[in-house]
Amino acid sequence: MDQELRDLYQQVILDHNKSPRNFRKIENATQHAEGFNPLCGDHIDIYLTVEDGFVKDVSFKGEGCAISKASASLMTSILKGKTKEEAEKLFNKFHDLVTGKLGDNPDIDELGKLAVFAGVQEFPVRVKCASLAWHTMINALHGKEEKITTE
């Protein structure tokens, strides 16, 4: 990945950290899950409103590092209107991206805005930061309310 692309990705992550999208509690959420990364202290709650198999609304609350918060912000922006199956596929694509399973040149067109996390694979300790919201969302999607941890 060239330096200009890295700089752009860093700007997007910093923007979503500074001004996170969907940073609120959905009062009448149909599903909720809590996630915690004891290694760095990231703590997040994911709220979903799922109707007729579609993610009608999704939000998050919590505290964490820039990567954790930006990941949750982008995730919530992307998931609205998706089916449960589409949400699961996005989780798998994202997980493959941050764990390096997509290789050095992931398909940016296919990943869309999620591609900003391509560089995370170079920092294994940050993979947990980036994926915490996603793992928590999967628990919420499946109605599992027990706290998920990255350990």
Side-chain angles (χ1 to χ4, degrees), residues 27-39:
E27 292 301 327
N28 297 314
T30 58
Q31 282 125 296
H32 164 261
E34 179 182 2
F36 181 62
N37 181 346
L39 210 59

Side-chain angles (χ1 to χ4, degrees), residues 5 8 10 12 18 21-22 25 28-30 40 69 71 73 112 115-116 120 124 129-130 132 134 149:
L5 196 53
L8 174 64
Q10 185 176 23
V12 171
K18 185 177 177 181
R21 283 53 157 189
N22 305 300
K25 177 181 179 182
N28 297 314
T30 58
C40 67
K69 194 181 284 187
S71 179
S73 178
V116 300
V120 170
C129 299
L132 178 63
W134 290 84
T149 67

Side-chain angles (χ1 to χ4, degrees), residues 86-135:
E86 289 170 327
E88 289 176 350
K89 285 180 184 178
L90 280 168
F91 165 81
N92 290 326
K93 284 181 189 178
F94 182 80
H95 194 263
D96 287 349
L97 171 71
V98 297
T99 57
K101 292 181 183 172
L102 297 181
D104 292 334
N105 296 309
D107 184 349
I108 292 173
D109 292 333
E110 181 183 3
L111 291 164
K113 292 179 181 179
L114 296 179
V116 300
F117 294 98
V120 170
Q121 65 182 301
E122 297 173 23
F123 306 96
V125 75
R126 293 305 203 178
V127 170
K128 292 180 180 186
C129 299
S131 62
L132 178 63
W134 290 84
H135 285 286

